[in-house]
Amino acid sequence: MDRILNYLNDGTQPDNRQETKKLKLGCAKYTLINGELYRRSYAKPLTKCLRLEEAQEVMEAVHKGECGTHARGRSLVMRQGFFWPNIHKNAELFVEKCSQCQYYADMHRQPASYLKPINSSWPFAIWGLDFQGPMPMAMRSYKWILVVVDNFTKWIEAKPLTHPTAQNIKNFLWANIVCRYGILMVIITDNDTPYASVWHPHTNGQAEAANKDILNILKKRLDSAKTRWPEELPGAL
């Protein structure tokens, strides 16, 4: 990194011609902006170059900081907007050392099943709906999470509820879906009790997968303080 900075700053080159040629080719991927080194990439904007100790601090903040979701290696790299050598390997090793990620790791128990074709012509027309709970009793007697997922964009909306009643669902759909995204065409639900384990989810498991992701993020962020889950729900989303 120092060699690249020196070359871009004042044209400092190694004595060896072969090393100089190699350095010039490598520097074509980098640029200086206000004294900071950035690396050009194909699919993303400029990524800021960091030294290893700075990279460690960034991974710590992104992974389990105030808005951290304990994302895994590849997701952790994609959300940062930074670059350093061996970035993917370092991110994977960092996640492997996170005790909460290891303790709450996924365990696949549901058998494979056939998918059902669901055609959605435009965003926010078809929504899958499901309940998550019962959760630990929290402030205002919140005990349930109502989760809806758009079939087209996979956008998730969720809200803590005290009771899984029809009136609460109607209020949520009006305020959070209709008033934000317009009148929807179809709502898909398994039409089962919220206590049941769904064997054949009608939305190919989209709402159930969203439930699982939200629950995993809440577990990792809360650890022992589980009654604070309504406060952490917006961050998890």
Side-chain angles (χ1 to χ4, degrees):
M1 185 171 175
D2 290 327
R3 294 175 64 191
I4 296 172
L5 280 169
N6 292 336
Y7 178 78
L8 294 177
N9 269 320
D10 49 28
T12 303
Q13 302 178 10
D15 297 331
N16 189 306
R17 286 186 61 186
Q18 189 174 357
E19 288 293 324
T20 301
K21 184 178 179 181
K22 184 178 178 181
L23 178 63
K24 288 181 179 180
L25 289 173
C27 287
K29 302 176 183 178
Y30 298 88
T31 185
L32 275 177
I33 300 176
N34 297 327
E36 299 285 351
L37 184 64
Y38 290 83
R39 189 177 192 271
R40 298 185 178 93
S41 57
Y42 295 105
K44 297 184 295 184
L46 295 174
T47 52
K48 186 177 180 180
C49 298
L50 299 178
R51 302 182 189 276
L52 192 56
E53 57 273 12
E54 296 173 319
Q56 193 72 19
E57 295 177 4
V58 168
M59 287 191 294
E60 186 85 19
V62 174
H63 184 71
K64 51 186 177 182
E66 187 172 345
C67 293
T69 59
H70 287 264
R72 296 178 182 176
R74 184 175 179 83
S75 299
L76 181 61
V77 169
M78 297 297 290
R79 294 175 185 177
Q80 289 182 13
F82 298 101
F83 173 80
W84 64 91
N86 299 323
I87 182 172
H88 292 277
K89 183 178 179 181
N90 292 153
E92 290 176 3
L93 291 174
F94 182 87
V95 174
E96 289 175 3
K97 294 178 181 178
C98 178
S99 58
Q100 290 170 300
C101 286
Q102 303 308 314
Y103 186 81
Y104 294 111
D106 293 337
M107 295 183 67
H108 301 283
R109 298 187 181 92
Q110 187 174 356
S113 60
Y114 290 104
L115 298 178
K116 301 177 182 179
I118 302 174
N119 296 322
S120 182
S121 302
W122 60 87
F124 311 119
I126 299 177
W127 292 81
L129 183 150
D130 197 23
F131 273 104
Q132 172 73 42
M135 303 287 287
M137 184 69 76
M139 60 176 185
R140 300 181 183 176
S141 301
Y142 286 140
K143 201 173 180 180
W144 301 88
I145 304 176
L146 175 60
V147 180
V148 292
V149 184
D150 175 44
N151 179 259
F152 190 94
T153 64
K154 309 302 183 289
W155 181 262
I156 302 172
E157 290 283 346
K159 183 180 181 180
L161 297 175
T162 54
H163 299 287
T165 62
Q167 187 60 46
N168 283 336
I169 296 174
K170 286 166 61 178
N171 294 340
F172 172 83
L173 291 176
W174 174 256
N176 293 68
I177 305 301
V178 176
C179 292
R180 289 184 180 180
Y181 309 106
I183 297 175
L184 60 165
M185 184 173 66
V186 177
I187 299 174
I188 301 177
T189 177
D190 51 44
N191 202 29
D192 207 340
T193 62
Y195 300 92
S197 176
V198 180
W199 189 261
H200 297 295
H202 289 203
T203 56
N204 293 327
Q206 288 182 16
E208 286 75 16
N211 277 344
K212 182 188 71 173
D213 290 340
I214 291 171
L215 187 60
N216 285 342
I217 292 170
L218 289 176
K219 284 180 180 178
K220 294 171 185 176
R221 289 177 62 87
L222 294 171
D223 203 10
S224 59
K226 300 187 184 301
T227 56
R228 292 194 304 105
W229 62 264
E231 304 171 31
E232 296 292 339
L233 182 58
L237 291 176

